[in-house]
Amino acid sequence: MTDFAIRYGEHVTRARRDGRPLVALESTIISHGLPHPDNLRVAREIEQTVRDNGAVPATIGMIGGELVVGLDDDQIQHLALAEGVAKLSVRDLAVAAARRADGATTVAATSAVAAAAEIGVFATGGLGGVHREASVTFDESADLGTLARTPIVVVCAGVKSILDVGATLERLETLGVAVAGYGTKRFPGFFITDGGFDIDWQLDSPDQVADVIRARADQGVGAGALIVANPLPTDEQLDPALHDRTLAEGLELLAKEHITGKAVTPFLLSHFHESTEGQSLAVNVRIILRNSALAARIAVASTAAPAPLGFAAPA
Ligand code: PSU
Ligand code: MN
């Protein structure tokens, strides 16, 4: 390796040359958010879903210190199955590269890298946010602060329901991150359809999202992300009673086992997957696949529009 610059997968370079729409995908969800070996299968399904909907997937992560936009299948397999893959937020990227680490990028790191690579649309499951108990622990995901300064569209099913959803929405407002519901004015709650809060804006089609991207580029005002919050249909959500029970247990275990910091989110997700005997896992997978499909359609719609890199910083 001669330097630490971003490496591009061949398929991404080709897509860029041909003017094809790209969708950024994160790798923390693969390495830390889903159990082995389902995670590898799901990572491949996510990429295939993006392709099936007309766009080119660019999964982002770090291999031996190389920050890669558009991991190939071997690299995805490595991040899915290897031991000791680090969870990388934005602050970790340079240190991890210098240390030649293998790492999976969070929503924060993935959006920052995607924006640097001029990819305007990103799909994930649920954002990080303000944790319950944050008034004591100060645990607020770096996802929020990063989205405030990162010009990208993030398609997600709201924020993870393990969080304090109301506090997270307040922080998103303070930080100036735009939030729109997809087909709804209720903010989704990840595993559950309705997160319990109203939001101001609703967008109903990929073209409408593309209009927002264009409007923001034309205006040249404001540099933060647009969150497109895409709820699961109610008949596909995790049973809300099961959800609440599982969450209460998980939060108790968290306190008892003194789990803190970046381990909190992976711990709670795996608690859900184990104690619902895979029901939450199936729901989580549906969430990601639906979001990937929508992100691809948004990328296609915004490539068809006059300003394909609508969110790129004004010259
Ligand atoms: N969405 C999922 N599963 C995940 C995540 C999102 O369906 O595992 C990851 C994302 O990478 C997100 C991270 O950035 O969880 C949040 O971690 P923390 O709360 O430590 O910031
Ligand atoms: Mn945290």
Side-chain angles (χ1 to χ4, degrees):
M1 191 194 306
T2 52
D3 61 50
F4 293 108
I6 292 174
R7 308 284 143 153
Y8 291 91
E10 258 173 55
H11 59 292
V12 171
T13 305
R14 221 176 311 122
R16 175 133 304 148
R17 194 191 52 213
D18 300 343
R20 300 209 39 216
L22 284 156
V23 170
L25 299 165
E26 63 152 313
S27 43
T28 291
I29 213 169
I30 304 170
S31 304
H32 304 278
L34 300 166
H36 301 194
D38 303 86
N39 59 346
L40 177 58
R41 174 183 55 83
V42 175
R44 288 173 172 155
E45 281 176 22
I46 296 171
E47 290 217 330
Q48 191 54 45
T49 301
V50 169
R51 286 189 208 101
D52 291 345
N53 286 275
V56 176
T59 303
I60 294 176
M62 184 173 286
I63 305 284
E66 286 198 328
L67 187 53
V68 181
V69 172
L71 295 163
D72 65 25
D73 193 68
D74 286 348
Q75 293 172 321
I76 288 175
Q77 185 164 335
H78 183 66
L79 291 187
L81 304 180
E83 296 291 320
V85 174
K87 176 177 166 184
L88 305 179
S89 192
V90 181
R91 67 173 186 163
D92 304 305
L93 291 174
V95 185
R99 300 307 305 147
R100 309 282 194 258
D102 289 333
T105 50
T106 63
V107 167
T110 306
S111 353
V113 174
E118 297 197 355
I119 297 175
V121 185
F122 164 33
T124 184
L127 301 180
V130 180
H131 283 262
R132 299 161 192 242
E133 310 296 316
S135 62
V136 178
T137 62
F138 276 66
D139 190 353
E140 172 183 323
S141 176
D143 291 356
L144 302 188
T146 303
L147 292 178
R149 54 177 188 271
T150 305
I152 196 152
V153 175
V154 187
V155 182
C156 60
V159 299
K160 281 185 279 285
S161 49
I162 57 176
L163 302 167
D164 184 334
V165 178
T168 304
L169 282 169
E170 292 293 347
R171 289 290 293 147
L172 288 169
E173 180 184 359
T174 305
L175 289 163
V177 179
V179 179
Y182 192 74
T184 178
K185 279 189 150 189
R186 292 289 283 177
F187 194 62
F190 189 60
F191 287 139
I192 44 186
T193 302
D194 187 336
F197 294 86
D198 289 322
I199 44 180
D200 291 339
W201 298 102
Q202 173 172 338
L203 298 168
D204 291 321
S205 66
D207 283 332
Q208 288 186 10
V209 180
D211 282 346
V212 178
I213 296 175
R214 222 176 29 256
R216 296 190 59 172
D218 288 353
Q219 291 168 344
V221 180
L226 167 66
I227 294 174
V228 174
N230 184 30
L232 274 177
T234 43
D235 60 348
E236 291 187 26
Q237 68 180 337
L238 190 62
D239 169 32
L242 174 62
H243 173 271
D244 294 354
R245 223 165 41 235
T246 309
L247 179 57
E249 279 163 20
L251 293 171
E252 248 173 61
L253 277 175
L254 200 65
K256 206 162 92 204
E257 297 185 18
H258 305 290
I259 313 275
T260 58
K262 68 205 263 185
V264 168
T265 297
F267 176 86
L268 284 175
L269 288 175
S270 88
H271 167 71
F272 260 93
H273 299 337
E274 280 160 29
S275 83
T276 65
E277 290 168 350
Q279 286 187 61
S280 69
L281 176 60
V283 172
N284 201 345
V285 172
R286 275 202 295 278
I287 289 171
I288 308 166
L289 295 180
R290 283 169 49 86
N291 293 344
S292 305
L294 178 56
R297 293 170 59 216
I298 291 169
V300 169
S302 72
T303 303
L309 295 175
F311 257 119

